[in-house]
Amino acid sequence: MKLMRVGPAGSEIPAILDAAGTVRSLEGMVPDIAGDVLTPEGLARIAALDPAQLPAVTVDRIGPCVGRVGKFLCIGLNYADHAAESGLPIPEEPVIFTKTTSSIVGPDDDIQIPRGSTKTDWEVELGIVIGKGGVYIDEADAMDHVAGYCVINDVSEREFQIERGGTWDKGKGCDTFGPIGPWLVTRDEVADPQALSMWLEVDGHRYQDGSTATMIFPVRVLVSYVSQFMSLQPGDIISTGTPPGVGMGQKPQVYLKGGERIRLGVEGLGVQTQNVRPAL
């Protein structure tokens, strides 16, 4: 299934994309694409519905594909070739940081350059959406805890992240820095999350062109690893890292200033398009 949320920001309704590409409302069937709706039992109830019997909706805006996200967790340097372009060693264990949930926006919403930014950057990533909660999850059981996957642009301000002291978080959690969607694609529709092509373009120039096959720590390892340090709940998101081609890795470096148009996608999970607005 391809689940989504459509409508004005803050007033999105749950929806499903049918096999013909028609968006159909799930309003009245589920409260939101969030929380317990993402558990195996919740997804089974949606799967039992006949999309043809659901009303078609006109889409003016696609919202974030998951509502009321509890934790927005990210994995740093999870592609060997991206670590190399960053001049950093391959991690021996996954690097975990967080993005604020207030950074989350729809897949085609504008990105706002923050005040004082000199190095706003892009990162196409595969997002894991948790469906079954748990803690101390065994790797052998990890995939049972995944509701599905989505596209994420892990927008990052590199000066804030690297040069301003402290942790990475201050360069990762600015408003609009977390576009997710357009869809949450349920796990049954993704045969192998470690074999998905992914790409990102700025103003038509392709900077990133990679594959989840080059992840250092695959999905099952990440779900298990993160759960050793915190419980995971339905609707939590883990963004799994980016392949090479970020602005920081260009020679010379290239950063967003405002006025650019970004397009990015992950195979089978849809495409995002964002206009970049200059700082207020």
Side-chain angles (χ1 to χ4, degrees), residues 175-252:
D175 290 356
T176 75
F177 271 26
I180 64 172
W183 318 307
L184 185 167
V185 180
T186 51
R187 180 166 53 93
D188 58 295
E189 291 199 7
V190 180
D192 184 358
Q194 305 308 146
L196 303 176
S197 61
M198 54 203 307
W199 55 273
L200 183 144
E201 298 173 349
V202 180
D203 290 337
H205 179 80
R206 182 159 294 197
Y207 284 96
Q208 293 190 274
D209 201 351
S211 169
T212 58
T214 63
M215 277 188 192
I216 299 166
F217 305 105
V219 168
R220 69 178 186 281
V221 171
L222 294 177
V223 172
S224 174
Y225 184 86
V226 171
S227 78
Q228 308 308 306
F229 304 97
M230 65 196 79
S231 62
L232 295 172
Q233 284 91 34
D236 286 349
I237 295 175
I238 303 173
S239 199
T240 58
T242 197
V246 300
M248 182 175 64
Q250 306 302 309
K251 297 184 180 357

Side-chain angles (χ1 to χ4, degrees), residues 5 9-10 12 33 61-74 98-112 128-129 150-155 172-181 235-239 272 274:
R5 302 167 70 249
E12 296 93 345
I33 306 302
R61 172 184 174 270
I62 301 174
C65 60
V66 180
R68 305 195 312 274
V69 175
K71 292 190 287 296
F72 193 1
L73 307 168
C74 300
T98 63
K99 288 179 83 79
T100 59
T101 55
S102 57
S103 73
I104 294 174
V105 291
D108 301 328
D109 289 345
D110 291 351
I111 291 171
Q112 176 75 60
I128 305 167
V129 181
C150 64
V151 182
I152 294 176
N153 188 355
D154 175 20
V155 187
K172 294 287 189 171
C174 303
D175 290 356
T176 75
F177 271 26
I180 64 172
D236 286 349
I237 295 175
I238 303 173
S239 199
Q272 300 184 353
Q274 295 122 21

